[in-house]
Coordinates of all heavy atoms in Angstrom, one line a residue:
M157 N 28.1 -44.7 20.5 CA 29.1 -45.7 20.6 C 28.6 -47.0 20.1 O 27.4 -47.4 20.4 CB 29.6 -45.8 22.1 CG 30.6 -46.8 22.3 SD 31.3 -47.0 23.9 CE 30.6 -45.9 25.0
A158 N 29.4 -47.8 19.4 CA 29.0 -49.1 18.9 C 29.0 -50.1 20.0 O 29.7 -50.0 21.0 CB 29.9 -49.5 17.8
I159 N 28.2 -51.2 19.8 CA 28.1 -52.3 20.7 C 29.4 -53.1 20.5 O 29.7 -53.5 19.4 CB 26.8 -53.1 20.6 CG1 25.6 -52.2 20.8 CG2 26.9 -54.3 21.5 CD1 24.3 -52.9 20.5
P160 N 30.1 -53.4 21.6 CA 31.3 -54.3 21.4 C 31.0 -55.6 20.9 O 30.0 -56.2 21.2 CB 31.9 -54.3 22.8 CG 31.1 -53.5 23.7 CD 29.9 -53.0 23.0
A161 N 31.9 -56.2 20.1 CA 31.7 -57.5 19.5 C 32.0 -58.6 20.5 O 31.4 -59.7 20.5 CB 32.7 -57.7 18.3
M162 N 32.8 -58.3 21.5 CA 33.2 -59.3 22.5 C 33.4 -58.6 23.9 O 34.0 -57.5 23.9 CB 34.5 -60.0 22.1 CG 34.9 -61.1 23.1 SD 36.4 -62.0 22.5 CE 37.6 -61.1 23.5
V163 N 33.0 -59.2 25.0 CA 33.2 -58.6 26.3 C 33.9 -59.6 27.2 O 33.5 -60.8 27.2 CB 31.9 -58.1 26.9 CG1 32.1 -57.6 28.3 CG2 31.2 -57.1 26.0
K164 N 34.9 -59.2 27.9 CA 35.6 -60.2 28.8 C 36.1 -59.4 30.1 O 36.3 -58.3 30.1 CB 36.9 -60.6 28.0 CG 37.7 -61.7 28.8 CD 38.7 -62.3 27.9 CE 39.6 -63.2 28.6 NZ 39.1 -64.5 29.0
Q165 N 36.1 -60.2 31.2 CA 36.5 -59.6 32.4 C 38.1 -59.8 32.6 O 38.6 -60.8 32.3 CB 35.8 -60.3 33.6 CG 34.4 -60.0 33.6 CD 33.7 -60.6 34.9 OE1 34.3 -61.2 35.7 NE2 32.4 -60.4 35.0
F166 N 38.7 -58.7 33.1 CA 40.1 -58.6 33.3 C 40.3 -58.0 34.7 O 39.4 -57.5 35.3 CB 40.8 -57.8 32.3 CG 40.9 -58.4 30.9 CD1 40.0 -58.1 30.0 CD2 42.0 -59.2 30.6 CE1 40.1 -58.7 28.7 CE2 42.1 -59.8 29.3 CZ 41.1 -59.5 28.4
V167 N 41.6 -58.0 35.1 CA 42.1 -57.2 36.3 C 42.9 -56.1 35.7 O 43.9 -56.3 34.9 CB 42.8 -58.1 37.2 CG1 43.4 -57.3 38.4 CG2 42.0 -59.2 37.8
F168 N 42.6 -54.8 36.1 CA 43.4 -53.7 35.6 C 44.8 -53.6 36.3 O 44.9 -53.8 37.5 CB 42.6 -52.4 36.0 CG 43.2 -51.1 35.4 CD1 43.0 -50.8 34.1 CD2 44.0 -50.3 36.2 CE1 43.5 -49.6 33.6 CE2 44.6 -49.2 35.7 CZ 44.3 -48.8 34.4
K169 N 45.8 -53.4 35.4 CA 47.2 -53.3 36.0 C 47.6 -51.8 35.9 O 47.9 -51.2 36.9 CB 48.1 -54.2 35.2 CG 48.0 -55.7 35.6 CD 49.1 -56.5 35.1 CE 50.3 -56.2 35.9 NZ 51.5 -56.9 35.6
T170 N 47.8 -51.3 34.7 CA 48.3 -49.9 34.5 C 47.6 -49.3 33.3 O 47.1 -49.9 32.4 CB 49.8 -49.9 34.3 OG1 50.1 -50.6 33.1 CG2 50.6 -50.4 35.5
G171 N 47.7 -48.0 33.3 CA 47.2 -47.2 32.2 C 48.2 -46.0 32.1 O 48.6 -45.4 33.1
N172 N 48.6 -45.6 30.9 CA 49.5 -44.6 30.7 C 49.2 -43.8 29.5 O 48.9 -44.3 28.4 CB 50.9 -45.2 30.5 CG 52.0 -44.2 30.5 OD1 51.8 -43.1 30.9 ND2 53.2 -44.6 30.2
T173 N 49.2 -42.5 29.6 CA 48.9 -41.6 28.4 C 50.1 -40.6 28.4 O 50.7 -40.3 29.4 CB 47.6 -40.8 28.5 OG1 47.6 -40.1 29.7 CG2 46.4 -41.8 28.5
G174 N 50.3 -40.0 27.2 CA 51.4 -39.1 27.1 C 51.6 -38.7 25.7 O 50.8 -39.0 24.8
T175 N 52.7 -38.0 25.4 CA 53.1 -37.6 24.1 C 54.4 -38.2 23.7 O 55.3 -38.2 24.5 CB 53.2 -36.1 24.0 OG1 51.9 -35.5 24.4 CG2 53.5 -35.6 22.6
S176 N 54.5 -38.8 22.6 CA 55.7 -39.5 22.1 C 56.8 -38.4 21.9 O 56.6 -37.4 21.2 CB 55.4 -40.2 20.8 OG 56.6 -40.7 20.2
K177 N 58.0 -38.7 22.4 CA 59.1 -37.8 22.2 C 59.6 -37.8 20.8 O 60.0 -36.8 20.2 CB 60.3 -38.2 23.1 CG 60.0 -38.0 24.6 CD 61.1 -38.4 25.5 CE 60.8 -38.3 26.9 NZ 61.8 -38.8 27.8
K178 N 59.5 -39.0 20.1 CA 60.0 -39.1 18.8 C 59.0 -38.5 17.7 O 59.5 -37.7 16.9 CB 60.2 -40.6 18.5 CG 60.9 -40.9 17.2 CD 61.2 -42.4 17.1 CE 62.0 -42.7 15.9 NZ 62.3 -44.1 15.8
S179 N 57.7 -38.9 17.8 CA 56.8 -38.4 16.8 C 56.0 -37.2 17.2 O 55.4 -36.5 16.3 CB 55.9 -39.5 16.4 OG 55.0 -39.8 17.5
G180 N 55.9 -36.9 18.5 CA 55.1 -35.8 19.0 C 53.6 -36.1 19.0 O 52.8 -35.3 19.3
K181 N 53.2 -37.4 18.7 CA 51.8 -37.8 18.8 C 51.4 -38.2 20.2 O 52.2 -38.8 20.9 CB 51.5 -38.9 17.8 CG 51.7 -38.5 16.3 CD 51.3 -39.6 15.4 CE 51.5 -39.3 14.0 NZ 51.2 -40.4 13.1
E182 N 50.1 -38.0 20.5 CA 49.6 -38.5 21.8 C 49.4 -40.0 21.7 O 49.1 -40.6 20.6 CB 48.3 -37.8 22.1 CG 48.5 -36.4 22.4 CD 47.1 -35.8 22.8 OE1 46.1 -36.5 22.9 OE2 47.1 -34.6 23.1
Y183 N 49.6 -40.7 22.8 CA 49.4 -42.1 22.9 C 48.6 -42.5 24.2 O 48.6 -41.8 25.2 CB 50.7 -42.9 22.8 CG 51.6 -42.8 24.0 CD1 51.5 -43.6 25.1 CD2 52.5 -41.7 24.0 CE1 52.3 -43.4 26.2 CE2 53.3 -41.6 25.1 CZ 53.2 -42.4 26.2 OH 54.0 -42.2 27.3
C184 N 48.1 -43.7 24.2 CA 47.4 -44.3 25.4 C 47.7 -45.8 25.4 O 47.4 -46.4 24.4 CB 45.9 -44.0 25.4 SG 45.0 -44.7 26.8
M185 N 48.2 -46.3 26.5 CA 48.4 -47.7 26.6 C 47.8 -48.2 27.9 O 47.9 -47.6 29.0 CB 50.0 -48.0 26.7 CG 50.4 -49.4 26.6 SD 50.3 -50.4 28.2 CE 51.4 -49.4 29.2
I186 N 47.0 -49.3 27.8 CA 46.4 -49.9 28.9 C 46.8 -51.3 29.1 O 46.8 -52.1 28.1 CB 44.8 -49.8 28.8 CG1 44.4 -48.3 28.8 CG2 44.1 -50.6 29.9 CD1 42.9 -48.1 28.4
E187 N 47.2 -51.8 30.3 CA 47.7 -53.1 30.5 C 46.6 -53.8 31.4 O 46.3 -53.3 32.5 CB 49.0 -53.2 31.1 CG 49.6 -54.6 31.3 CD 51.0 -54.6 31.7 OE1 51.6 -53.5 32.1 OE2 51.6 -55.7 31.7
L188 N 46.2 -55.0 30.9 CA 45.2 -55.7 31.7 C 45.7 -57.2 31.9 O 46.5 -57.7 31.1 CB 43.9 -55.8 30.9 CG 43.2 -54.5 30.5 CD1 42.0 -54.8 29.6 CD2 42.8 -53.7 31.7
H189 N 45.2 -57.8 33.0 CA 45.6 -59.1 33.4 C 44.4 -60.0 33.3 O 43.4 -59.7 33.8 CB 46.2 -59.1 34.8 CG 46.4 -60.5 35.4 ND1 47.5 -61.2 35.0 CD2 45.8 -61.3 36.2 CE1 47.5 -62.4 35.6 NE2 46.5 -62.4 36.4
D190 N 44.6 -61.2 32.6 CA 43.6 -62.1 32.4 C 43.7 -63.2 33.5 O 44.7 -64.0 33.5 CB 43.7 -62.8 31.0 CG 42.5 -63.7 30.8 OD1 41.7 -64.0 31.7 OD2 42.4 -64.2 29.6
P191 N 42.8 -63.3 34.5 CA 43.0 -64.2 35.6 C 42.8 -65.7 35.2 O 43.3 -66.6 35.9 CB 41.9 -63.8 36.6 CG 41.0 -63.0 35.9 CD 41.7 -62.4 34.7
E192 N 42.2 -65.9 34.1 CA 41.9 -67.3 33.6 C 43.2 -67.9 33.0 O 43.6 -69.0 33.3 CB 40.8 -67.3 32.5 CG 39.5 -67.0 33.1 CD 38.4 -66.9 32.0 OE1 38.7 -67.2 30.9 OE2 37.3 -66.5 32.4
T193 N 43.9 -67.1 32.2 CA 45.1 -67.6 31.5 C 46.4 -67.1 32.2 O 47.5 -67.6 31.8 CB 45.2 -67.1 30.1 OG1 45.2 -65.7 30.0 CG2 44.0 -67.6 29.3
L194 N 46.3 -66.2 33.2 CA 47.4 -65.6 33.9 C 48.3 -64.8 33.0 O 49.5 -64.7 33.3 CB 48.2 -66.7 34.7 CG 47.4 -67.5 35.7 CD1 48.3 -68.5 36.3 CD2 46.8 -66.6 36.7
E195 N 47.8 -64.3 31.9 CA 48.6 -63.5 30.9 C 48.3 -62.0 31.1 O 47.1 -61.7 31.4 CB 48.3 -64.0 29.5 CG 48.9 -65.3 29.2 CD 48.7 -65.7 27.7 OE1 48.1 -64.9 27.0 OE2 49.0 -66.8 27.4
N196 N 49.3 -61.2 30.8 CA 49.1 -59.8 30.8 C 49.0 -59.3 29.3 O 49.7 -59.8 28.5 CB 50.2 -59.0 31.4 CG 50.3 -59.3 32.9 OD1 49.3 -59.6 33.5 ND2 51.5 -59.3 33.5
S197 N 48.1 -58.4 29.0 CA 47.9 -57.9 27.6 C 48.0 -56.4 27.6 O 47.4 -55.7 28.5 CB 46.6 -58.4 27.1 OG 46.5 -59.7 27.1
Q198 N 48.7 -55.9 26.7 CA 48.8 -54.4 26.5 C 48.0 -54.0 25.3 O 48.1 -54.6 24.2 CB 50.3 -54.0 26.3 CG 51.1 -54.2 27.5 CD 52.5 -53.7 27.3 OE1 53.0 -53.5 26.2 NE2 53.3 -53.5 28.4
F199 N 47.2 -52.9 25.5 CA 46.4 -52.4 24.4 C 46.8 -51.0 24.1 O 46.7 -50.1 25.0 CB 44.9 -52.5 24.8 CG 44.5 -53.9 25.0 CD1 44.4 -54.4 26.3 CD2 44.1 -54.7 23.9 CE1 44.0 -55.8 26.5 CE2 43.7 -56.0 24.2 CZ 43.7 -56.5 25.4
F200 N 47.2 -50.7 22.9 CA 47.6 -49.3 22.5 C 46.4 -48.7 21.8 O 45.9 -49.3 20.9 CB 48.8 -49.4 21.6 CG 50.0 -49.8 22.4 CD1 50.4 -51.2 22.4 CD2 50.8 -48.9 23.1 CE1 51.5 -51.6 23.1 CE2 51.9 -49.3 23.8 CZ 52.3 -50.6 23.8
Q201 N 46.0 -47.5 22.2 CA 44.9 -46.9 21.6 C 45.3 -45.9 20.5 O 46.4 -45.3 20.6 CB 44.1 -46.1 22.7 CG 43.7 -46.9 23.9 CD 42.7 -47.9 23.5 OE1 41.6 -47.6 23.1 NE2 43.0 -49.2 23.5
R202 N 44.5 -45.9 19.4 CA 44.8 -44.9 18.4 C 44.6 -43.5 18.8 O 43.8 -43.2 19.7 CB 44.0 -45.3 17.2 CG 44.2 -46.6 16.6 CD 43.3 -46.8 15.4 NE 43.5 -48.2 14.9 CZ 43.2 -48.5 13.7 NH1 42.7 -47.6 12.8 NH2 43.3 -49.8 13.3
E203 N 45.2 -42.6 18.1 CA 45.0 -41.2 18.4 C 43.6 -40.8 18.2 O 43.0 -41.1 17.1 CB 45.9 -40.4 17.5 CG 46.2 -38.9 18.0 CD 47.2 -38.2 17.2 OE1 47.7 -38.8 16.2 OE2 47.6 -37.1 17.6
G204 N 42.9 -40.2 19.2 CA 41.5 -39.8 19.0 C 40.6 -40.9 19.5 O 39.4 -40.6 19.6
K205 N 41.0 -42.1 19.9 CA 40.2 -43.1 20.3 C 40.6 -43.6 21.7 O 40.5 -44.7 22.1 CB 40.2 -44.4 19.4 CG 39.6 -44.1 18.1 CD 39.6 -45.4 17.3 CE 38.2 -46.0 17.2 NZ 38.1 -47.3 16.5
F206 N 41.0 -42.6 22.6 CA 41.5 -43.0 23.9 C 40.3 -43.4 24.8 O 39.2 -42.8 24.7 CB 42.2 -41.8 24.5 CG 43.5 -41.5 23.8 CD1 44.1 -40.3 23.9 CD2 44.1 -42.4 22.9 CE1 45.3 -39.9 23.3 CE2 45.3 -42.1 22.2 CZ 45.9 -40.8 22.4
I207 N 40.6 -44.3 25.7 CA 39.6 -44.8 26.7 C 39.9 -44.2 28.0 O 41.0 -44.2 28.4 CB 39.6 -46.3 26.7 CG1 39.1 -46.9 25.4 CG2 38.8 -46.8 27.9 CD1 39.0 -48.4 25.4
N208 N 38.9 -43.6 28.7 CA 39.1 -43.0 29.9 C 39.2 -44.1 31.0 O 38.2 -44.9 31.2 CB 37.9 -42.0 30.2 CG 38.1 -41.3 31.5 OD1 39.1 -41.3 32.1 ND2 37.1 -40.5 31.8
F209 N 40.3 -44.1 31.8 CA 40.4 -45.1 32.8 C 40.6 -44.4 34.2 O 41.0 -45.1 35.1 CB 41.6 -46.0 32.5 CG 42.9 -45.4 32.3 CD1 43.7 -45.0 33.3 CD2 43.3 -45.1 31.0 CE1 45.0 -44.4 33.0 CE2 44.5 -44.5 30.7 CZ 45.3 -44.2 31.7
T210 N 40.2 -43.2 34.3 CA 40.2 -42.5 35.6 C 39.2 -43.2 36.5 O 38.2 -43.6 36.1 CB 39.9 -41.0 35.5 OG1 38.7 -40.8 34.8 CG2 41.0 -40.3 34.7
G211 N 39.6 -43.3 37.8 CA 38.8 -44.0 38.8 C 39.0 -45.5 38.8 O 38.4 -46.1 39.7
I212 N 39.8 -46.0 37.9 CA 40.1 -47.4 37.9 C 41.5 -47.6 38.5 O 42.4 -47.0 38.0 CB 40.0 -48.1 36.5 CG1 38.6 -47.9 36.0 CG2 40.3 -49.5 36.6 CD1 38.4 -48.3 34.6
G213 N 41.7 -48.4 39.5 CA 43.0 -48.5 40.1 C 43.6 -49.9 39.9 O 42.9 -50.8 39.4
F214 N 44.8 -50.1 40.4 CA 45.5 -51.4 40.3 C 44.7 -52.5 41.0 O 44.2 -52.3 42.1 CB 46.9 -51.2 41.0 CG 47.7 -52.4 40.9 CD1 48.2 -52.9 39.7 CD2 48.1 -53.1 42.1 CE1 49.0 -54.1 39.7 CE2 48.9 -54.2 42.1 CZ 49.4 -54.7 40.9
K215 N 44.5 -53.6 40.3 CA 43.8 -54.8 40.8 C 42.3 -54.6 40.8 O 41.6 -55.5 41.4 CB 44.3 -55.3 42.2 CG 45.8 -55.8 42.1 CD 46.1 -56.4 43.5 CE 47.5 -57.0 43.4 NZ 47.9 -57.7 44.7
D216 N 41.8 -53.6 40.2 CA 40.3 -53.5 40.1 C 39.8 -54.4 39.0 O 40.5 -54.5 38.0 CB 39.9 -52.0 39.8 CG 40.0 -51.1 41.0 OD1 40.1 -51.6 42.1 OD2 39.9 -49.9 40.7
K217 N 38.7 -55.0 39.2 CA 38.1 -55.9 38.2 C 37.4 -55.0 37.2 O 36.7 -54.1 37.6 CB 37.1 -56.9 38.8 CG 37.8 -57.9 39.6 CD 36.8 -59.0 40.1 CE 37.6 -60.0 41.0 NZ 36.7 -61.1 41.4
V218 N 37.6 -55.3 35.9 CA 37.0 -54.5 34.9 C 36.4 -55.4 33.8 O 36.8 -56.5 33.7 CB 38.1 -53.5 34.2 CG1 38.6 -52.5 35.2 CG2 39.2 -54.3 33.6
E219 N 35.5 -54.8 33.1 CA 34.9 -55.5 31.9 C 35.3 -54.7 30.7 O 35.1 -53.5 30.6 CB 33.4 -55.4 32.1 CG 32.6 -56.2 31.0 CD 31.1 -56.2 31.3 OE1 30.5 -55.2 31.0 OE2 30.6 -57.2 31.9
A220 N 36.0 -55.4 29.8 CA 36.6 -54.8 28.6 C 35.8 -55.3 27.4 O 35.5 -56.5 27.3 CB 38.1 -55.2 28.5
G221 N 35.5 -54.3 26.6 CA 34.8 -54.6 25.3 C 35.7 -54.5 24.1 O 36.5 -53.6 24.1
F222 N 35.6 -55.3 23.2 CA 36.5 -55.3 22.0 C 35.7 -55.3 20.7 O 34.6 -55.8 20.6 CB 37.3 -56.6 22.0 CG 38.2 -56.7 23.2 CD1 37.8 -57.5 24.3 CD2 39.5 -56.2 23.2 CE1 38.6 -57.6 25.4 CE2 40.3 -56.3 24.3 CZ 39.8 -57.0 25.4
E223 N 36.3 -54.6 19.7 CA 35.8 -54.6 18.4 C 36.9 -55.0 17.4 O 38.0 -54.9 17.7 CB 35.4 -53.2 18.0 CG 34.2 -52.6 18.8 CD 33.9 -51.2 18.5 OE1 34.7 -50.5 17.8 OE2 32.8 -50.7 18.9
M224 N 36.5 -55.5 16.2 CA 37.5 -55.9 15.2 C 37.9 -54.6 14.5 O 37.1 -53.7 14.2 CB 36.9 -56.8 14.2 CG 36.7 -58.2 14.7 SD 38.2 -59.0 15.3 CE 39.2 -59.1 13.9
G225 N 39.2 -54.5 14.3 CA 39.8 -53.4 13.5 C 41.0 -53.9 12.7 O 41.3 -55.0 12.7
V226 N 41.6 -52.9 12.1 CA 42.8 -53.2 11.3 C 44.0 -52.5 11.9 O 44.0 -51.3 12.2 CB 42.7 -52.8 9.9 CG1 43.9 -53.1 9.1 CG2 41.5 -53.5 9.2
F227 N 45.1 -53.3 12.3 CA 46.3 -52.7 12.9 C 47.5 -53.1 12.1 O 47.7 -54.3 11.9 CB 46.4 -53.1 14.4 CG 47.5 -52.5 15.1 CD1 47.4 -51.1 15.5 CD2 48.7 -53.2 15.4 CE1 48.4 -50.5 16.2 CE2 49.7 -52.6 16.1 CZ 49.6 -51.2 16.5
N228 N 48.2 -52.2 11.5 CA 49.3 -52.5 10.6 C 49.0 -53.4 9.5 O 49.7 -54.4 9.1 CB 50.5 -53.1 11.4 CG 51.1 -52.1 12.3 OD1 51.1 -50.9 12.1 ND2 51.8 -52.5 13.4
G229 N 47.8 -53.2 8.9 CA 47.3 -54.0 7.8 C 46.8 -55.4 8.1 O 46.4 -56.1 7.2
R230 N 46.6 -55.7 9.4 CA 46.1 -57.0 9.8 C 44.9 -56.8 10.7 O 44.8 -55.9 11.5 CB 47.2 -57.8 10.6 CG 48.4 -58.1 9.8 CD 49.3 -58.9 10.6 NE 50.5 -59.3 9.8 CZ 51.6 -59.8 10.2 NH1 51.7 -60.0 11.5 NH2 52.6 -60.1 9.4
P231 N 43.9 -57.8 10.6 CA 42.8 -57.7 11.5 C 43.2 -58.0 12.9 O 44.0 -58.8 13.2 CB 41.8 -58.8 11.0 CG 42.6 -59.5 10.0 CD 43.8 -58.8 9.6
A232 N 42.7 -57.2 13.8 CA 43.0 -57.4 15.2 C 41.9 -56.9 16.1 O 41.1 -56.0 15.7 CB 44.3 -56.6 15.6
L233 N 41.8 -57.4 17.4 CA 40.9 -56.9 18.3 C 41.4 -55.6 18.9 O 42.5 -55.5 19.3 CB 40.7 -57.9 19.5 CG 39.9 -59.2 19.1 CD1 39.9 -60.1 20.3 CD2 38.5 -58.8 18.8
E234 N 40.5 -54.6 19.0 CA 40.8 -53.3 19.5 C 39.9 -53.1 20.8 O 38.7 -53.4 20.8 CB 40.5 -52.2 18.5 CG 41.4 -52.2 17.4 CD 41.1 -51.0 16.4 OE1 40.1 -50.3 16.6 OE2 41.9 -50.8 15.5
L235 N 40.5 -52.6 21.8 CA 39.8 -52.3 23.1 C 38.9 -51.1 22.8 O 39.3 -50.0 22.3 CB 40.8 -51.9 24.2 CG 40.3 -51.7 25.6 CD1 39.6 -52.9 26.1 CD2 41.4 -51.2 26.5
S236 N 37.6 -51.3 23.0 CA 36.6 -50.2 22.7 C 36.0 -49.6 23.9 O 35.6 -48.5 24.0 CB 35.6 -50.7 21.7 OG 34.8 -51.7 22.3
T237 N 35.8 -50.4 25.0 CA 35.2 -50.0 26.2 C 35.9 -50.6 27.4 O 36.5 -51.7 27.3 CB 33.7 -50.3 26.3 OG1 33.6 -51.8 26.3 CG2 32.9 -49.7 25.2
L238 N 35.9 -49.9 28.5 CA 36.4 -50.3 29.8 C 35.6 -49.8 30.9 O 35.4 -48.6 31.1 CB 37.9 -49.8 29.9 CG 38.7 -50.4 31.0 CD1 39.0 -51.9 30.7 CD2 40.1 -49.7 31.1
R239 N 35.0 -50.8 31.7 CA 34.1 -50.4 32.8 C 34.5 -51.2 34.0 O 34.7 -52.4 34.0 CB 32.7 -50.8 32.3 CG 31.6 -50.5 33.3 CD 30.2 -50.8 32.8 NE 30.0 -52.2 32.6 CZ 29.6 -53.0 33.5 NH1 29.3 -52.6 34.7 NH2 29.4 -54.3 33.3
K240 N 34.5 -50.4 35.1 CA 34.9 -51.0 36.4 C 33.6 -51.8 36.9 O 32.5 -51.4 36.8 CB 35.2 -49.9 37.5 CG 35.7 -50.5 38.8 CD 36.1 -49.3 39.7 CE 36.4 -49.8 41.0 NZ 36.9 -48.7 41.9
I241 N 33.9 -53.0 37.5 CA 32.8 -53.9 37.9 C 32.7 -53.7 39.4 O 33.6 -53.7 40.2 CB 33.2 -55.4 37.7 CG1 33.3 -55.6 36.2 CG2 32.1 -56.3 38.2 CD1 33.7 -57.0 35.8

């Protein structure tokens, strides 16, 4: 596993995995809350790059690692690691 380019602390809100009814592809969505800015952020994982969030519950403090990637042709931060603090 690569070393994340950026690490930040968040509060875990929700995590959801499943299969899209429309395309039939698997998906993973993780929602995190930033206590500094009071904003919620949703991170969608690419197929095959899912992050395991079992054992992490609502309002648990987590450390999220990010890497630079390309999403829809644009550079964007991608969630690469998630660890309970």
